[in-house]
Amino acid sequence: MLRVIVMSTPMMSSVIHNLGYTPPPDVSIGIFEAVLEKGVALAKQLEHSNDVDVFVAAGSSAKLLSRVVEKPLIEISVTGFDILYALKTAMHFSSSVAVFTYPEQIHHIAATLDVLAMQVKTIVYDYEQIPKLERAIDELLRLGIRTVIGPSLIVQMAQRRGMNAVFIYSNDSVKRALDQAVQVGKINLMEAERVKRFETILNFTYGGIIATDAGGNVTAFNPAAEKITGLDRKMALGKPIGKLFPNSKFVRIVHLKEPEINQIVSLGDRRIITNHVPILSEGILTGAVITFQDFAAIQDAEAEIRSKLFHKGFLVKTGLDDIHGRSPAILHAKDETRLFASSHATITILGETGTGKELFAQGIHRASPRAAHPFVAINCDAFPMTLLESELFGYDEGAFTGARRGGKKGLIELAHRGTLFLDEIAEMPIALQTRMLRVLEEREVIRIGGEKIINVDIRVIAATNKDLWALVCEKKFREDLYYRLNVLVLRVPPLRVRLDDIPILTSLFLSELLPDMPAKQVRSIANHSCLRQHSWPGNVRELKNLMERFAVLSPAFPDLFSLLDSLLQPQDRVGCKAAGEIVRVLCESGGSRRVAAERLGVSRSTLWRRIKRLKNFSPELCRRKSHL
């Protein structure tokens, strides 16, 4: 609600009431009959209690209030129309009239008097000269002038002497002043709201903001700027920026007409990142805005964000203690891993499929100084080139059709301060190897469709089961990337050279898969000679998969050693499936050889011959198990 207060006299109040002025619905008009010193005291009280938005007053009261009030003041002014209207009224009393005006004579009255054919004496008065006014009115009586035109004070003096008096203010002037007060008040409220919004933005913006005028004097200085610079806002406002920061780039950039973005500026022992934007009006520099952030605070915030991402999913699940075995080969590999973990150099892990290369990569990360930061893994053979590129490097909004709004961070960015694990690095396309080479050399990344260079602090671990040098010779792998990756090389031994670890691993897998199996039986199976005699081309992964099949099929085999033998037999070259699959399908078919043969895609006679080779296998047990 807009509040308009009129500091009035009884005569002015009468004019307003007779006017029948109707303000807009969101505006209230209060009329207080208090003028001069009394009006000043009341106005101060209204301002102090915040009960007024705009003042309206006339004549000497308006002049007094203008010196003391802070709220907008609209003066009811005397216009030529007011004089004409008052003279027309005064003509009914006399052709000789005196007009009192404050604080100066109204121009062009003489020309008006010629038209009206009246004798008019103009008297300019000051409210501080009341005794003189009294004498002036008495002098009018002596001269035979008995009609006066003026404000309330003059009208009252004249009427006390029996003279004719006409109030100088017309309805039109009063209405115009009230309309102006409403308009000014609404504009001021809108401006106050804008200023409040601006102050809220300034006060709660994370970065520091300093604004200057054309001369480089500070006009805005938000709390964040106080915190970063250590300067008090009240002390900074109005001061030349050169005096506040005499040895900084601020002195120069506030006078530039071109913006400067992402500049690093030193303030004492602190480094800040600044953005400078000039304020131009028709090409003329009228001021500048400088926004800045503490470089260390940005790093801390970035670390916190990445830490949240890290806790959302980029976690290592295993460490070196989770790599089991006591063979010299595995112990040597773990010792090398611990040495490599303390370094920040790039590591390439070589090993056959299934040897546990990712386990070693996670073990390196967990034992390294980067353990508190993300471990981001990606299989380079799992994506087509375009998708792999967007996953690794990310993209900006609009980089391609279907790009996510706002863009997307790549895995390289997400691995900042942590470890990036590139599995199956040999399968990375040549074109993408070129971009990865720059990441390794410069520790910089540019998103797809972007122009901004993003610095990353990452440790790269690559893994492959192929001979990278052979691929280099075949022009299938970049030689320069090979040398970048070939800094520290860790070779993970295959299972066939660590046979002493097979019983340990087998016992571990069986204990997880069959927790109810007696420990003595677990040890017997784990030490079965057939496990040592197998070549294990799939290494530890093959052993684990074998134990999973064994756990599923064991209820259908009274003789578990026979089951183990059958699972380790090679596939039938004439087309029949492996023994373990035959047993599984028979059990799922309730022991029906017809149904099992159809599912396996072989004849019943072929299936029967294969079943006869399975020692101690009981189809009847499969039938009974299917009914449980």
Side-chain angles (χ1 to χ4, degrees):
M1 177 70 72
L2 174 64
R3 298 154 303 179
V4 177
I5 299 297
V6 182
M7 308 304 289
S8 178
T9 64
M11 288 185 183
M12 183 66 74
S13 299
S14 179
V15 171
I16 295 173
H17 289 307
N18 293 334
L19 184 63
Y21 186 81
T22 303
D26 56 345
V27 177
S28 69
I29 295 181
I31 301 174
F32 291 86
E33 293 183 355
V35 295
L36 303 180
E37 287 78 5
K38 183 180 177 182
V40 168
L42 179 59
K44 288 181 178 180
Q45 180 181 340
L46 290 170
E47 275 197 329
H48 181 72
S49 58
N50 195 29
D51 289 326
V52 60
D53 295 305
V54 184
F55 286 106
V56 177
S60 55
S61 291
K63 293 299 182 290
L64 272 178
L65 288 175
S66 66
R67 302 171 187 173
V68 295
V69 298
E70 296 181 1
K71 297 291 185 178
L73 171 66
I74 304 301
E75 182 179 358
I76 303 175
S77 301
V78 176
T79 66
F81 175 81
D82 292 331
I83 298 295
L84 285 174
Y85 190 81
L87 287 172
K88 179 182 177 183
T89 303
M91 286 176 64
H92 296 293
F93 302 114
S94 172
S95 60
S96 298
V97 178
V99 178
F100 287 78
T101 62
Y102 175 88
E104 57 186 15
Q105 185 172 355
I106 297 176
H107 300 293
H108 311 300
I109 285 184
T112 304
L113 300 181
D114 292 339
V115 174
L116 296 176
M118 296 181 67
Q119 292 182 356
V120 178
K121 181 178 179 62
T122 59
I123 300 171
V124 178
Y125 73 94
D126 189 328
Y127 79 95
E128 295 177 344
Q129 301 172 344
I130 292 178
K132 292 183 179 180
L133 287 175
E134 299 276 6
R135 290 194 294 272
I137 295 175
D138 291 338
E139 179 64 19
L140 291 175
L141 285 172
R142 190 184 67 80
L143 295 174
I145 300 175
R146 301 187 60 82
T147 303
V148 297
I149 298 173
S152 297
L153 180 64
I154 300 300
V155 170
Q156 290 172 356
M157 289 181 179
Q159 287 177 340
R160 284 198 299 268
R161 290 168 172 76
M163 301 172 70
N164 302 312
V166 178
F167 192 46
I168 197 169
Y169 295 100
S170 68
N171 291 358
D172 182 71
S173 294
V174 175
K175 182 179 182 302
R176 190 184 308 111
L178 293 176
D179 286 340
Q180 186 179 358
V182 171
Q183 183 180 8
V184 169
K186 287 188 173 183
I187 293 173
N188 275 26
L189 286 181
M190 292 174 59
E191 181 67 14
E193 183 180 347
R194 188 189 68 81
V195 170
K196 187 67 176 177
R197 188 182 299 114
F198 177 68
E199 288 179 349
T200 302
I201 294 171
L202 281 180
N203 293 339
F204 292 95
T205 298
Y206 176 74
I209 299 176
I210 299 175
T212 64
D213 58 19
N217 300 309
V218 174
T219 58
F221 201 89
N222 74 337
E226 284 186 302
K227 183 177 179 181
I228 295 172
T229 64
L231 297 177
D232 181 76
R233 175 178 179 271
K234 294 180 180 179
M235 184 275 290
L237 289 174
K239 299 290 179 60
I241 197 167
K243 289 188 176 180
L244 299 177
F245 309 101
N247 298 317
S248 75
K249 292 183 179 179
F250 286 174
V251 181
R252 178 183 61 86
I253 62 178
V254 295
H255 299 293
L256 298 177
K257 287 190 175 183
E258 297 295 330
E260 288 192 349
I261 308 299
N262 292 333
Q263 299 294 307
I264 298 178
V265 176
S266 295
L267 288 180
D269 58 349
R270 307 180 77 169
R271 289 197 304 164
I272 61 174
I273 297 178
T274 69
N275 295 304
H276 157 259
V277 179
I279 302 174
L280 300 174
S281 177
E282 298 181 356
I284 299 174
L285 185 68
T286 60
V289 175
I290 302 171
T291 63
F292 52 94
Q293 289 181 308
D294 187 278
F295 191 77
I298 294 175
Q299 289 182 317
D300 292 341
E302 183 183 24
E304 183 178 352
I305 293 171
R306 294 181 188 271
S307 177
K308 289 179 181 178
L309 292 170
F310 165 64
H311 289 297
K312 281 183 178 180
F314 297 127
L315 292 162
V316 293
K317 300 178 179 64
T318 59
L320 292 178
D321 293 338
D322 298 303
I323 301 173
H324 299 278
R326 294 195 296 266
S327 65
I330 198 67
L331 292 176
H332 176 71
K334 290 174 71 172
D335 288 341
E336 275 196 331
T337 300
R338 291 187 181 91
L339 288 174
F340 292 173
S342 61
S343 168
H344 293 281
T346 301
I347 299 175
T348 298
I349 302 176
L350 303 176
E352 298 176 7
T353 182
T355 52
K357 295 185 290 296
E358 184 166 353
L359 290 180
F360 276 90
Q362 292 190 20
I364 291 171
H365 177 78
R366 179 173 283 187
S368 74
R370 299 174 181 267
H373 302 287
F375 175 86
V376 181
I378 186 169
N379 190 317
C380 299
D381 194 30
F383 300 92
M385 176 180 167
T386 54
L387 186 54
L388 178 61
E389 184 179 24
S390 66
E391 287 294 314
L392 280 172
F393 295 91
Y395 54 82
D396 277 354
E397 182 175 347
F400 49 83
T401 303
R404 181 190 300 176
R405 186 176 180 180
K408 177 186 174 183
K409 285 186 176 182
L411 294 179
I412 297 174
E413 284 185 67
L414 295 178
H416 180 64
R417 300 182 71 182
T419 300
L420 177 67
F421 177 56
L422 301 173
D423 199 8
E424 304 294 348
I425 186 68
E427 308 305 325
M428 181 177 286
I430 290 288
L432 205 52
Q433 290 178 25
T434 304
R435 293 197 66 180
M436 183 52 64
L437 180 65
R438 179 171 181 82
V439 174
L440 291 172
E441 288 178 342
E442 307 294 339
R443 291 300 193 266
E444 294 176 348
V445 63
I446 302 176
R447 295 182 188 176
I448 298 173
E451 299 178 352
K452 181 182 177 182
I453 296 176
I454 302 168
N455 294 314
V456 289
D457 173 17
I458 57 173
R459 204 267 187 84
V460 176
I461 300 178
T464 181
N465 59 5
K466 295 185 177 180
D467 185 343
L468 288 180
W469 181 246
L471 294 176
V472 170
C473 295
E474 296 172 10
K475 305 298 182 182
K476 295 181 180 179
F477 199 84
R478 288 184 64 101
E479 184 175 359
D480 45 9
L481 180 58
Y482 170 82
Y483 286 117
R484 278 290 175 185
L485 294 173
N486 204 43
V487 180
L488 299 175
V489 179
L490 176 66
R491 290 179 171 81
V492 181
L495 190 56
R496 62 180 175 275
V497 302
R498 43 183 295 212
L499 297 178
D500 292 341
D501 293 335
I502 292 177
I504 298 173
L505 296 171
T506 304
S507 298
L508 177 67
F509 297 146
L510 286 177
S511 298
E512 294 175 352
L513 297 166
L514 296 171
D516 297 330
M517 179 177 282
K520 184 177 180 181
Q521 194 172 19
V522 170
R523 286 195 298 272
S524 298
I525 296 171
N527 287 284
H528 197 284
S529 59
C530 67
L531 294 175
R532 287 177 173 266
Q533 293 168 2
H534 188 64
S535 60
W536 300 109
N539 294 290
V540 179
R541 184 183 296 123
E542 182 184 359
L543 175 60
K544 184 176 183 179
N545 292 343
L546 178 74
M547 290 301 106
E548 288 181 353
R549 291 197 297 273
F550 179 87
V552 172
L553 300 172
S554 59
F557 272 85
D559 187 346
L560 296 180
F561 295 106
S562 297
L563 171 61
L564 194 59
D565 285 334
S566 63
L567 292 176
L568 285 169
Q569 291 180 13
Q571 291 186 350
D572 192 330
R573 292 182 180 275
V574 297
C576 192
K577 305 295 181 182
E581 189 173 357
I582 292 173
V583 175
R584 179 181 60 79
V585 174
L586 275 169
C587 288
E588 291 175 354
S589 306
S592 171
R593 289 193 294 271
R594 179 183 63 79
V595 176
E598 290 177 356
R599 291 186 179 180
L600 292 168
V602 299
S603 65
R604 277 186 285 177
S605 58
T606 300
L607 177 60
W608 177 249
R609 287 195 303 272
R610 188 60 176 157
I611 290 174
K612 286 169 59 177
R613 298 178 192 173
L614 300 178
K615 298 178 182 179
N616 300 318
F617 172 68
S618 172
E620 180 62 27
L621 185 60
C622 282
R623 282 192 290 272
R624 289 201 302 271
K625 182 174 177 62
S626 67
H627 293 297
L628 294 178

